[in-house]
């Protein structure tokens, strides 16, 4: 089975790494040559870390790298694919354009999967002539470490395609969980309202940043507090997903907290911008509450 991964950013390079390590030939496609270079370096560095920990051998590292081809042209990269996994930027128009192109480039039997966090799979499938073969394959970050793959069945996804993707996920050592195509699927339907409520709790002055995260870590056994997790995900991403839930269900309970909106508007996006609920200007080794919340 030939795999093509589209988008070689945070998620794309992890997805490519896992398939290549499990003996699949993988073409990695990106529109940006520097993103492909960076992905190659990241995968190599992550494999070195696995070798150093003794979880893989030097031979596995070499065979993983040999299974990967980096291509900057979609027509070349996807022509022979049996499965394409799209992990390009979370923008609906970008994704619809990619799927329209894939539908004409790929073999009729090829399954087209998206790693989207929030865009409806049914909408993506509707721009192709094969909505029965379009499915969500939602990996978690960091992909080589996280076991879960949330598999999303669009309204027209066939049972056979869903079964194939469930079996394949197990084959690469992941644990699949199947969801129907509703806003936020399972993962973000539950996670984002919790994060939004944590922000609302801060906004209403019920607790400070440290108190909120401490309650959830020590009281609920979460490995990371919801505000720290929001910083890691990216506050812009959290806001976008809250908006998808709010618009998709038309229910005010999903409305994003005004504090979240303000933080994103002002450019406080979490780890990627250097500050969110915590300050990362010192490299993030020590958790320091951002000055606005002290
Ligand atoms: P990213 O910004 O790190 O990488 C996206 C890559 O897609 C970039 O290298 C960009 O050059 C490339 N790209 C953009 N348009 C393209 C096109 N037309 N053809 C080929 N490549 C193109 O983004 P990230 O974080 O890897 O997210 C990718 C997808 O995964 C999104 O749909 C996101 O919602 C989803 N996701 C992200 C998670 C995360 O924690 N970052 C977790 C789970 C899902």
């Amino acid at each position: 089975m030939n795999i093509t991964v589209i988008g070689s950013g945070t998620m794309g390079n992890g997805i490519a790494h896992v398939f290549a390590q499990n003996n699949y030939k993988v073409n990695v496609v990106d529109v940006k040559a520097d993103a492909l270079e960076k992905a190659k370096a990241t995968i190599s560095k992550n494999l070195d870390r696995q070798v150093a920990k003794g979880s893989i051998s030097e031979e596995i590292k070499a065979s993983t790298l040999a299974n990967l081809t980096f291509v900057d042209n979609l027509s070349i990269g996807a022509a022979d694919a049996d499965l394409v996994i799209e992990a390009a930027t979370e923008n609906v128009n970008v994704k619809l354009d990619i799927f329209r192109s894939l539908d004409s480039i790929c073999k009729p039997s090829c399954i087209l999967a998206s790693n989207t966090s929030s865009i409806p799979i049914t909408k993506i499938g509707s721009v192709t002539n094969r909505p029965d073969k379009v499915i969500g394959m939602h990996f978690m970050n960091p992909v080589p470490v996280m076991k879960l793959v949330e598999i999303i069945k669009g309204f027209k996804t066939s049972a056979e395609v869903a079964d194939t993707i469930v079996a394949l996920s197990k084959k690469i050592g992941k644990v699949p969980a199947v969801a129907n195509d509703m806003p936020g699927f399972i993962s973000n339907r539950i996670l984002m309202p919790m994060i939004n409520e944590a922000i609302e709790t801060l906004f209403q002055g019920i607790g400070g940043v440290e108190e909120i995260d401490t309650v959830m870590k020590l009281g609920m056994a979460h490995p990371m507090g919801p505000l720290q997790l929001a910083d890691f995900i990216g506050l812009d991403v959290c806001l976008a997903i809250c908006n998808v839930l709010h618009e998709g269900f038309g229910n005010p309970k999903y409305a994003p907290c005004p504090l979240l909106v303000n933080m994103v508007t002002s450019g406080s996006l979490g780890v990627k911008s250097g500050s969110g609920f915590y300050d990362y200007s010192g490299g993030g080794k020590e958790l320091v509450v951002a000055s606005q919340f002290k």
Side-chain angles (χ1 to χ4, degrees), residues 236-282:
D236 52 340
V237 175
C238 293
L239 178 59
I241 299 172
C242 286
N243 283 331
V244 165
L245 292 172
H246 191 207
E247 285 158 24
F249 291 114
N251 185 333
K253 81 172 178 177
Y254 296 112
C257 175
L259 174 59
L260 174 61
V261 176
N262 259 354
M263 289 177 77
V264 173
T265 307
S266 71
S268 270
L269 306 181
V271 177
K272 65 176 132 183
S273 73
S275 145
F277 296 103
Y278 296 92
D279 187 89
Y280 302 93
S281 54

Side-chain angles (χ1 to χ4, degrees), residues 131-163:
D132 56 316
K133 296 193 180 68
V134 175
I135 192 160
M137 218 176 166
H138 185 202
F139 290 84
M140 305 291 132
N141 186 19
V143 183
V145 176
M146 298 290 278
K147 283 280 179 198
L148 177 69
V149 185
E150 187 179 26
I151 293 170
I152 302 106
K153 288 195 304 184
F155 193 64
K156 292 207 170 154
T157 308
S158 73
E160 191 191 341
V161 164
D163 290 347

Side-chain angles (χ1 to χ4, degrees), residues 25-222:
K25 294 278 177 214
V26 184
N27 282 345
V28 187
V29 180
D30 203 291
V31 280
K32 289 190 188 153
D34 59 335
L36 289 170
E37 282 306 316
K38 197 172 160 206
K40 209 185 285 186
T42 303
I43 294 172
S44 193
K45 196 179 72 197
N46 290 339
L47 286 165
D48 282 340
R49 199 174 297 146
Q50 288 172 280
V51 171
K53 279 201 308 197
S55 53
I56 62 166
S57 62
E58 282 285 356
E59 289 70 36
I60 299 282
K61 178 191 165 188
S63 65
T64 302
L65 290 173
N67 281 336
L68 290 162
T69 307
F70 296 85
V71 195
D72 63 3
N73 180 306
L74 186 65
S75 304
I76 297 171
D80 288 329
D82 300 297
L83 167 65
V84 175
I85 303 169
E86 171 278 317
T89 313
E90 185 78 344
N91 172 302
V92 69
N93 292 323
V94 167
K95 295 210 192 272
L96 296 185
D97 276 352
I98 291 173
F99 277 79
R100 275 190 205 101
S101 304
L102 287 173
D103 197 31
S104 61
I105 294 166
C106 297
K107 300 184 280 199
S109 59
C110 179
I111 296 175
L112 306 180
S114 176
N115 185 55
T116 179
S117 318
S118 63
I119 297 167
I121 298 303
T122 307
K123 185 169 190 163
I124 295 175
S126 73
V127 300
T128 73
N129 291 310
R130 59 180 96 187
D132 56 316
K133 296 193 180 68
V134 175
I135 192 160
M137 218 176 166
H138 185 202
F139 290 84
M140 305 291 132
N141 186 19
V143 183
V145 176
M146 298 290 278
K147 283 280 179 198
L148 177 69
V149 185
E150 187 179 26
I151 293 170
I152 302 106
K153 288 195 304 184
F155 193 64
K156 292 207 170 154
T157 308
S158 73
E160 191 191 341
V161 164
D163 290 347
T164 302
I165 296 300
V166 165
L168 181 65
S169 302
K170 290 180 184 163
K171 234 170 149 182
I172 58 167
K174 300 294 182 196
V175 178
V178 179
N180 287 319
D181 187 24
M182 280 286 148
F185 318 134
I186 294 174
S187 51
N188 284 318
R189 170 78 176 266
I190 297 170
L191 177 64
M192 280 308 150
M194 185 191 72
I195 285 177
N196 196 41
E197 204 58 33
I199 301 171
E200 189 71 38
T201 306
L202 177 69
F203 183 53
Q204 292 182 12
I206 295 159
V209 170
E210 281 173 312
E211 286 73 18
I212 291 167
D213 276 357
T214 300
V215 166
M216 297 307 286
K217 276 192 290 188
L218 301 187
M220 318 301 158
H222 289 197

